[in-house]
Amino acid sequence: MAQTFLSLSGIKYSATGKDILHDIDLSLEPGHVYGLVGPNGSGKSTLLKIIARQIGATAGNIVWDGKGTGEWGNRAFARHLAYMPQFTPQTDGMTVRELVALGRFPWHGALGRFSDTDRAKVDEALERTDLIRFEDRLVDSMSGGERQRAWIAMMLAQDARCILLDEPTSALDLSHQASVLSLVHDLCHERNLTVIVVLHDINLAARYCDRMVALGNGRIVARGKPSDIVRSDMLQTIFGIDMGVFMHPVRQEPVSYLL
């Protein structure tokens, strides 16, 4: 029987008198990349922020590995989960190695000693993301794709079991989109992580996500494997427009297009 790592039940969220999320029930397993898809304003980023404890749900419960959100202290939770928002903070004057080393903060704290284990975790993260040659480069001087890899390296150094990514490819060209999502997919399976990524491109989600969860008007309207979601009838339900689907001639994956 599959192990549930993260469980959401009855999640609701309201702000300024408007209901944004309605009765979200979701169970996620380790070792899978979950793509959150849906039109603008459907609640994808809001749901991700609630999972990351950036904002509190109006109602409902979240259970992590058998423990409710309130049972996790801040440092324990930071060791458990890594979150990359859509717009990452400024890194003025910071090198790649310095940024990646911030991932070890939950393990030693502001006044703690940076140990050999911490250094080894940073080295491992730089090597796995192919950033060793850039370790002394200023983060702000790098291309968008390289910067995203640096943030992912920081999350790897953090040793978190769950990674949340909010539109990590929105400002990247096609090559860097593929590079970043391929890296995320491989790391998920190598380390048995639970990864949740918000994506606007349904074809990228179909290619790099193991499961997809579609939101519409603050509700889950569909969930399943990419082959269950990327169908003309389902895409009409999710996005409200007519779309066609064909199978990729090499990878045998569904590919959608506007009619």
Side-chain angles (χ1 to χ4, degrees):
M1 184 175 178
Q3 174 191 4
T4 297
F5 178 71
L6 170 61
S7 177
L8 291 77
S9 58
I11 296 296
K12 298 180 181 180
Y13 183 74
S14 302
T16 62
K18 180 182 178 181
D19 294 333
I20 298 173
L21 292 175
H22 311 265
D23 298 317
I24 300 293
D25 296 323
L26 196 60
S27 294
L28 306 180
E29 303 167 8
H32 294 298
V33 179
Y34 292 89
L36 280 182
V37 300
N40 289 342
S42 58
K44 302 183 299 296
S45 293
T46 298
L47 180 57
L48 208 68
K49 289 177 182 177
I50 288 172
I51 295 172
R53 293 207 319 192
Q54 299 294 304
I55 58 176
T58 306
N61 297 295
I62 300 178
V63 176
W64 291 92
D65 209 15
K67 294 168 60 178
T69 300
E71 299 179 66
W72 294 86
N74 289 336
R75 180 173 291 187
F77 192 75
R79 293 175 176 179
H80 191 73
L81 176 139
Y83 168 64
M84 186 168 77
Q86 183 177 353
F87 302 104
T88 52
Q90 293 294 316
T91 55
D92 297 340
M94 188 176 294
T95 67
V96 171
R97 176 171 283 275
E98 289 170 339
L99 174 64
V100 176
L102 290 180
R104 298 305 300 166
F105 181 82
W107 296 91
H108 61 74
L111 301 178
R113 180 174 174 271
F114 201 79
S115 68
D116 291 340
T117 297
D118 294 321
R119 271 183 284 275
K121 291 291 185 180
V122 171
D123 288 341
E124 178 187 3
L126 288 168
E127 289 173 3
R128 182 60 188 84
T129 53
D130 197 25
L131 288 173
I132 283 290
R133 66 187 186 279
F134 296 124
E135 63 177 327
D136 294 322
R137 283 268 302 274
L138 293 178
V139 177
D140 288 343
S141 72
M142 303 173 77
S143 71
E146 291 165 346
R147 284 198 301 273
Q148 293 296 68
R149 293 178 79 89
W151 282 97
I152 291 171
M154 185 194 74
M155 299 167 94
L156 281 184
Q158 190 175 330
D159 241 2
R161 296 175 59 196
C162 181
I163 291 179
L164 308 181
L165 305 167
D166 193 354
E167 296 189 45
T169 61
S170 60
L172 305 184
D173 59 31
L174 287 174
S175 174
H176 284 109
Q177 288 177 9
S179 174
V180 167
L181 291 178
S182 178
L183 173 64
V184 169
H185 182 272
D186 291 347
L187 290 170
C188 172
H189 290 268
E190 288 171 13
R191 300 185 175 215
N192 200 36
L193 306 176
T194 302
V195 176
I196 310 172
V197 54
V198 172
L199 291 170
H200 273 295
D201 189 316
I202 196 73
N203 289 326
L204 283 177
R207 179 161 187 174
Y208 293 105
C209 298
D210 305 299
R211 303 285 188 274
M212 295 168 68
V213 178
L215 296 181
N217 295 318
R219 302 181 187 275
I220 295 177
V221 296
R223 69 185 84 190
K225 297 178 181 179
S227 58
D228 300 324
I229 304 299
V230 186
R231 302 189 338 236
S232 294
D233 59 337
M234 193 65 73
L235 295 175
Q236 167 63 238
T237 298
I238 297 168
F239 295 102
I241 54 175
D242 292 330
M243 300 180 71
V245 175
F246 65 91
M247 296 304 292
H248 191 287
V250 176
R251 298 177 61 88
Q252 293 301 302
E253 297 167 343
V255 179
S256 63
Y257 58 94
L258 289 173
L259 291 175

